[in-house]
Amino acid sequence: MSGRPRSWLLRVALVAAALLRPEQHARPLAARPVPRPRSQAPGSLKCFLGALKMEMTEVTGVSLKRGSHAVEDNDCVAPSEEAKRQKVLDGGLTTGQDGLEHVSPPSSVDVPGPPAAVSAGEGRKNSDVQVEEEEEEEEDGLSEEGEEEEEAESFADMMKHGLTELDVGITKFVSSHQGFSGILKERYSDFVVHEIGKDGRISHLDDLSVPVDEEDPSEDVFTVLTAEEKQRLEELQLFKNKETSVAIEVIEDTKEKRTVIHQAIKSLFPGLETKTEDREGKKYIVAYHAAGKKALAKVRTAADPRKHSWPKSRGSYCHFVLYKENKDTMDAINVLSKYLRVKPNIFSYMGTKDKRAITVQEIAVLKITAQRLAHLNKCLMNFKLGNFSYQKNPLKLGELQGNHFTVVLRNITGTDDQVQQAMNSLKEIGFINYYGMQRFGTTAVPTYQVGRAILQNSWTEVMDLILKPRSGAEKGYLVKCREEWAKTKDPAAALRKLPVKRCVEGQLLRGLSKYGMKNIVSAFGIIPRNNRLMYIHSYQSYVWNNMVSKRIEEYGLKPVPGDLVLKGATATYIDEEDVNNYSIHDVVMPLPGFDVIYPKHKISEAYREMLTADNLDIDNMRHKIRDYSLSGAYRKIIIRPQNVSWEVVAYDDPKIPLFNTDVDNLEGKPPPVFASEGKYRALKMDFSLPPSTYATMAIREVLKMDTSIKNQTQLNTTWLR
């Protein structure tokens, strides 16, 4: 060791310290506070900038706890796909059902769900969110070759091709106060979402205990097998080797020890049976397939782990509260399913949640014990599971009543009076219920354009819009794939340029390879249903935003005869004599479709003109392909948040958290103490919103500013660079 340079020793020490130290909030390197500009950004320029730059450069947080590789634990050994997947850089902004920003590759978005508060005949199943499992297994992550350098083009230059609020019809405010600036999501822990369940209660993670159940195997099942034995059993279960059985020697030959090994294999490797054998005077537990590949296929596809071992008296579903940091809901479920070795579609939930935030929501899973789920708390970082209970039924999308938000806007410029006026307006009037910018994509090809082409039955244009080269913030491998497509129109050749094939482009190219260039409809059908519907829902949202802006410009913030209101789920017109019985908060506007009615005033003609200009017939919104027939829906034009509260706090250190999370409270951390004065001021606000409304649109109303990435980067590119 004496020959080593001291700098080398220092580096080793630093790496070791990093591996052993639990990082607060597990903040990725890219999420450091953005340096302050040389010259102060004027007015509204700074809001969102810190978050936007970080959201476009941030590396996904690794889910496996540091140092856990040495743990002999089957549920804690990350599959190789998971390790690779964690390398993928996140690019574009997408949205969850709660209307929040999160980060994922811009063209392989998780689908926000139908764009309606009240649906008129459109439904959706949890399983629709999954990529079709009959397609061949693919690598989720990038190979080293796939992580080649990105284009040197600056972030600001890339985003100059993006959309502004004006492009998608977001043009109006409802309040009269003066706006001010602040930074949203300077840290992802500045944005916390708690789901509001169907019973109206806000979900909190406040209990990590496991329900006592005599039928559960002992804790020893997770540690009794060595890593090598688990690897052999895994390969046996998946038919990845030529062995017909795996024999494990019982070192301490007692009935109790043999029972634990039997339980461990059956619990951790559904599809395998076990028996005890004597071989040359030694006891062995032998694992084997009970009924060959059919039994395994049943377990893996239907996710039906060992029916005979699940107590009849216990509900088939384990419900739990999932606390997650910096991961969207589908990513989180994919991680959990890989560690549990089950299909993602055995999980159900009431709404998808944001990535760049801390979120708390209820999840249900079929026939996985609370004990096994709780064990993941030892393996995973950025996750916590608790509040376990066994129930008879799964959860369904849309059952939630809404979401409660705790949001910190840092480094605000507004005076106390300005903040008071803004927040009072939000509480008393509310905000325009626009679909937020994240619904329309971040590149030069907005998602609503693809949706319009689908509705027009222009399938060549659909293919072209998805695959053609485009300006904007994209990964290098996507750029190369598009260039190859433009040059050769060979789907197989373009597909070879993609290390990540589960993005929309990869799925479409695979479909074109399978069905040929003359059958684009079938090729497009390979893309998961929800992702396909996302495009037409985006078009509906685009129309709705534009029409609502026209409605407010024409008639202001009061109900008028001919407006629509809901009675139950049915829309009816406001008559002249009834107009005083309603407020602007009762008025709804339709998303275009075959099962809605339109207002009886000027805005009805505006709908017709807009769709006619897009070569669509407002009187015939049924499509040749049933999936793309729009039934339509109704959505309130003004939303008034509930449970609104706020405070302005002073702070000196941009890194310190300004409130406690559920995990902080579980760990007994005291709440932060604020100085009476500090370098910076932050606005901490709490409010509840119904499903399918966008928190960013509420914040837009408070700050009075354009929330688009393009606007922020163009206004202050020097600061960003």
Side-chain angles (χ1 to χ4, degrees):
M1 292 292 288
S2 59
R4 299 275 192 189
R6 293 184 64 185
S7 61
W8 178 86
L9 289 171
L10 179 60
R11 285 199 300 273
V12 170
L14 288 172
V15 170
L19 289 172
L20 294 171
R21 183 179 66 248
E23 294 179 2
Q24 185 169 9
H25 295 306
R27 295 187 69 209
L29 202 59
R32 290 175 179 161
V34 177
R36 299 196 62 190
R38 289 176 189 155
S39 60
Q40 190 71 20
S44 65
L45 306 189
K46 293 179 297 178
C47 179
F48 289 87
L49 287 178
L52 294 172
K53 184 175 183 183
M54 288 184 290
E55 284 182 338
M56 300 301 291
T57 57
E58 179 189 8
V59 181
T60 305
V62 177
S63 294
L64 185 65
K65 272 189 179 174
R66 292 186 174 92
S68 67
H69 303 85
V71 179
E72 290 190 352
D73 183 333
N74 191 66
D75 279 346
C76 293
V77 178
S80 59
E81 292 88 353
E82 171 66 12
K84 290 177 184 175
R85 187 177 64 81
Q86 296 295 350
K87 294 181 181 179
V88 181
L89 292 177
D90 291 314
L93 291 174
T94 60
T95 179
Q97 221 179 25
D98 43 27
L100 304 178
E101 293 162 314
H102 60 278
V103 186
S104 68
S107 36
S108 55
V109 293
D110 285 334
V111 183
V118 182
S119 176
E122 289 186 280
R124 190 173 71 158
K125 296 179 181 178
N126 276 301
S127 58
D128 290 336
V129 183
Q130 313 299 334
V131 174
E132 271 109 358
E133 293 293 346
E134 64 269 17
E135 297 299 331
E136 66 271 18
E137 287 295 319
E138 298 166 348
E139 300 234 336
D140 285 333
L142 294 179
S143 62
E144 289 183 14
E145 294 78 14
E147 291 183 291
E148 293 172 2
E149 75 287 343
E150 299 292 335
E151 295 297 320
E153 190 178 23
S154 76
F155 174 74
D157 287 337
M158 289 192 293
M159 289 318 304
K160 69 187 178 186
H161 307 287
L163 296 170
T164 65
E165 289 185 348
L166 183 63
D167 294 326
V168 295
I170 301 173
T171 60
K172 302 295 180 184
F173 294 97
V174 297
S175 52
S176 57
H177 71 270
Q178 184 181 348
F180 55 91
S181 72
I183 301 175
L184 172 67
K185 296 188 180 182
E186 184 169 346
R187 309 173 81 235
Y188 65 77
S189 53
D190 286 346
F191 208 107
V192 176
V193 187
H194 287 88
E195 189 171 73
I196 304 172
K198 52 189 174 183
D199 58 0
R201 288 189 300 177
I202 297 175
S203 292
H204 281 280
L205 182 77
D206 52 21
D207 183 5
L208 300 182
S209 64
V210 175
V212 177
D213 194 327
E214 294 178 1
E215 304 264 2
D216 282 337
S218 71
E219 184 70 15
D220 293 342
V221 302
F222 299 110
T223 55
V224 70
L225 299 172
T226 68
E228 182 187 358
E229 289 166 347
K230 290 170 186 171
Q231 180 67 28
R232 291 177 63 204
L233 289 163
E234 170 91 352
E235 291 173 355
L236 176 67
Q237 174 171 259
L238 301 179
F239 293 94
K240 287 186 176 179
N241 58 25
K242 295 181 180 179
E243 291 183 275
T244 56
S245 64
V246 169
I248 296 170
E249 184 180 355
V250 184
I251 306 299
E252 305 166 21
D253 183 20
T254 64
K255 185 176 180 181
E256 291 76 15
K257 185 62 180 279
R258 293 197 303 271
T259 299
V260 169
I261 295 174
H262 283 294
Q263 285 180 336
I265 295 172
K266 291 178 180 181
S267 176
L268 301 177
F269 299 95
L272 297 183
E273 290 289 353
T274 57
K275 59 184 176 182
T276 304
E277 287 186 2
D278 281 306
R279 297 183 181 179
E280 299 175 357
K282 296 180 180 179
K283 280 277 198 311
Y284 288 86
I285 305 294
V286 179
Y288 60 96
H289 283 288
K293 290 192 177 184
K294 286 186 178 179
L296 179 61
K298 181 175 186 295
V299 169
R300 297 192 72 219
T301 304
D304 187 11
R306 320 191 70 80
K307 278 189 176 179
H308 62 274
S309 67
W310 192 265
K312 291 181 180 179
S313 59
R314 187 161 69 191
S316 295
Y317 294 87
C318 186
H319 287 223
F320 62 95
V321 170
L322 174 66
Y323 168 104
K324 62 182 181 60
E325 298 183 358
N326 210 29
K327 273 207 177 298
D328 66 48
T329 300
M330 279 313 305
D331 267 350
I333 283 177
N334 285 334
V335 170
L336 296 179
S337 64
K338 284 181 178 178
Y339 279 80
L340 294 168
R341 290 184 172 81
V342 295
K343 291 291 184 184
N345 61 3
I346 72 168
F347 291 87
S348 58
Y349 47 87
M350 294 182 287
T352 56
K353 295 289 178 287
D354 194 7
K355 172 182 167 57
R356 191 170 169 74
I358 291 174
T359 67
V360 181
Q361 70 182 115
E362 189 175 352
I363 305 284
V365 61
L366 175 66
K367 292 188 177 178
I368 299 290
T369 63
Q371 183 186 33
R372 192 171 171 195
L373 291 166
H375 188 69
L376 296 182
N377 287 332
K378 301 177 182 178
C379 316
L380 302 174
M381 62 186 293
N382 297 347
F383 292 88
K384 236 6 172 217
L385 287 67
N387 297 80
F388 301 103
S389 65
Y390 292 109
Q391 307 286 343
K392 292 181 180 178
N393 300 309
L395 296 168
K396 294 179 181 177
L397 275 170
E399 283 185 327
L400 75 168
Q401 284 195 17
N403 296 283
H404 184 79
F405 299 89
T406 303
V407 178
V408 168
L409 299 174
R410 291 183 184 248
N411 202 14
I412 60 168
T413 61
T415 65
D416 286 348
D417 282 346
Q418 286 175 322
V419 171
Q420 187 81 6
Q421 288 176 23
M423 294 306 298
N424 275 330
S425 174
L426 182 69
K427 183 176 182 178
E428 292 165 13
I429 302 173
F431 62 97
I432 304 173
N433 194 19
Y434 286 124
Y435 290 98
M437 294 302 300
Q438 55 270 42
R439 194 170 187 91
F440 305 103
T442 56
T443 62
V445 179
T447 50
Y448 72 80
Q449 289 184 6
V450 181
R452 179 167 55 202
I454 293 169
L455 295 173
Q456 292 168 342
N457 225 26
S458 303
W459 291 102
T460 302
E461 185 182 357
V462 171
M463 177 180 69
D464 187 46
L465 285 169
I466 293 174
L467 296 178
K468 72 179 181 181
R470 58 178 70 174
S471 303
E474 285 210 307
K475 307 276 194 313
Y477 60 82
L478 266 175
V479 172
K480 290 173 183 174
C481 169
R482 296 187 193 286
E483 288 172 349
E484 182 67 29
W485 172 256
K487 184 171 65 178
T488 66
K489 288 293 189 287
D490 180 347
L495 194 59
R496 284 194 290 271
K497 299 287 184 181
L498 275 182
V500 180
K501 294 180 173 54
R502 285 193 177 181
C503 59
V504 168
E505 291 83 358
Q507 289 159 338
L508 178 56
L509 288 167
R510 194 173 68 223
L512 291 169
S513 297
K514 182 174 182 179
Y515 294 107
M517 299 285 285
K518 292 184 178 179
N519 196 350
I520 300 171
V521 175
S522 295
F524 184 70
I526 276 186
I527 298 170
R529 180 175 181 270
N530 258 34
N531 290 44
R532 287 181 276 125
L533 296 184
M534 175 265 299
Y535 291 117
I536 56 175
H537 292 153
S538 177
Y539 178 74
Q540 285 180 300
S541 306
Y542 170 70
V543 172
W544 194 90
N545 279 0
N546 279 279
M547 293 299 99
V548 166
S549 292
K550 282 185 179 294
R551 159 66 182 77
I552 290 172
E553 181 177 342
E554 189 72 34
Y555 299 111
L557 295 178
K558 63 182 189 299
V560 296
D563 272 334
L564 294 169
V565 292
L566 288 177
K567 291 185 177 177
T570 305
T572 60
Y573 296 108
I574 297 179
D575 296 326
E576 184 83 48
E577 58 271 20
D578 290 333
V579 75
N580 293 326
N581 295 330
Y582 298 100
S583 78
I584 192 65
H585 299 98
D586 299 314
V587 177
V588 298
M589 293 268 283
L591 290 107
F594 61 77
D595 199 23
V596 294
I597 58 175
Y598 294 87
K600 281 185 179 176
H601 47 53
K602 292 180 182 178
I603 305 306
S604 178
E605 190 55 36
Y607 272 97
R608 184 174 296 276
E609 288 172 3
M610 186 171 184
L611 267 68
T612 301
D614 287 338
N615 294 317
L616 295 172
D617 182 358
I618 196 170
D619 299 315
N620 182 18
M621 298 301 289
R622 294 188 186 273
H623 197 278
K624 293 178 182 177
I625 301 168
R626 186 177 177 183
D627 262 359
Y628 311 136
S629 287
L630 292 180
S631 61
Y634 301 99
R635 180 177 176 89
K636 286 192 173 182
I637 66 173
I638 303 291
I639 290 292
R640 186 161 45 194
Q642 301 298 306
N643 308 313
V644 179
S645 64
W646 67 92
E647 64 175 323
V648 176
V649 298
Y651 65 103
D652 291 313
D653 184 355
K655 299 176 184 176
I656 64 166
L658 299 182
F659 59 90
N660 272 7
T661 65
D662 285 1
V663 168
D664 291 335
N665 292 332
L666 274 170
E667 294 172 353
K669 290 184 181 177
V673 178
F674 303 111
S676 56
E677 292 186 9
K679 287 184 192 175
Y680 313 106
R681 292 160 69 246
L683 170 59
K684 175 180 174 287
M685 51 185 182
D686 283 84
F687 54 90
S688 298
L689 294 177
S692 195
T693 54
Y694 285 66
T696 48
M697 292 294 100
I699 295 163
R700 168 187 182 268
E701 189 70 47
V702 170
L703 296 170
K704 282 289 185 73
M705 57 164 299
D706 185 326
T707 60
S708 68
I709 304 174
K710 177 179 179 178
N711 184 61
Q712 299 305 316
T713 52
Q714 286 188 333
L715 285 172
N716 203 352
T717 53
T718 304
W719 183 84
L720 256 175
R721 288 174 179 177

